């Protein structure tokens, strides 16, 4: 999957479903959602810079040698991500149709650090709220996909 035409800053992560399938187990919906918490929180903290929508979590066979996937597989690190910034700039918020400047990338670093503080906050409220938001987003995507296929939504 190339990202040249993509815009914004986005992440690539490692979906636990891929590991569980290769080990013969079923995908845990909670694990599926948990791998998305940090990028989703970042999209809330930096909506003009970071795109959750362009972030991907599927582990592709040809990418298994990259550091993100090697760390995830070898050490079972759930939050193993690659963050990428497009040379094409942004298409959202106040930076729409602009290229990223060094100060934008520096701000992204600050926002990432703020997101780490939110993620590791001893009060679980932000993480729980984020889990619910992601679950609802994924549920809506499933319902839309089923509707396009002419199938009824899940209960």
């Amino acid at each position: 999957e190339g990202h040249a035409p993509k815009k914004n800053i986005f992440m690539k992560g490692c979906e636990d479903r891929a590991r569980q399938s290769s080990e013969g187990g079923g995908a845990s919906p909670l694990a599926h959602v948990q791998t998305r918490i940090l990028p989703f929180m970042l999209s809330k903290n930096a909506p003009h810079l970071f795109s959750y929508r362009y972030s991907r979590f599927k582990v592709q066979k040809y990418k298994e040698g990259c550091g993100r996937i090697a760390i995830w597989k070898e050490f079972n690190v759930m939050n193993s991500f690659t963050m990428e910034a497009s040379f094409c700039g942004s298409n959202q918020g106040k930076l729409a149709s602009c290229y990223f400047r060094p100060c934008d990338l520096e701000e992204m670093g600050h926002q990432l650090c703020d997101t780490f503080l939110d993620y590791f906050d001893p009060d679980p409220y932000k993480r729980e709220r984020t889990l619910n938001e992601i679950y609802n987003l994924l549920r809506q995507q499933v319902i839309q996909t089923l509707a396009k296929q002419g199938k009824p939504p899940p209960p």
Side-chain angles (χ1 to χ4, degrees), residues 62-113:
Y62 75 95
K63 289 280 193 176
E64 287 187 359
C66 77
R68 159 181 58 95
I69 296 172
I71 294 295
W72 171 72
K73 276 184 152 183
E74 186 68 27
F75 301 107
N76 200 28
V77 175
M78 180 177 61
N79 287 320
S80 182
F81 298 103
T82 302
M83 180 182 280
E84 301 185 17
S86 172
F87 282 119
C88 298
S90 181
N91 66 358
Q92 59 191 29
K94 65 184 181 184
L95 295 176
S97 302
C98 296
Y99 292 105
F100 292 119
R101 302 165 298 171
C103 63
D104 298 322
L105 300 175
E106 187 175 321
E107 182 186 349
M108 184 74 251
H110 290 286
Q111 294 295 337
L112 179 61
C113 290

Side-chain angles (χ1 to χ4, degrees), residues 11-76:
M11 284 183 164
K12 292 186 179 181
C14 300
E15 186 172 63
D16 271 351
R17 180 170 53 187
R19 176 182 292 143
Q20 291 170 346
S21 295
S22 68
E23 294 172 358
S28 158
L30 183 59
H32 181 76
V33 174
Q34 283 180 326
T35 60
R36 290 161 165 73
I37 294 174
L38 187 69
F40 196 84
M41 287 177 135
L42 185 55
S43 73
K44 297 293 186 180
N45 287 350
H48 60 292
L49 290 168
F50 185 80
S51 175
Y52 175 79
R53 187 179 61 160
Y54 287 155
S55 296
R56 297 290 175 255
F57 304 92
K58 186 177 181 180
V59 175
Q60 297 171 322
K61 194 85 171 149
Y62 75 95
K63 289 280 193 176
E64 287 187 359
C66 77
R68 159 181 58 95
I69 296 172
I71 294 295
W72 171 72
K73 276 184 152 183
E74 186 68 27
F75 301 107
N76 200 28

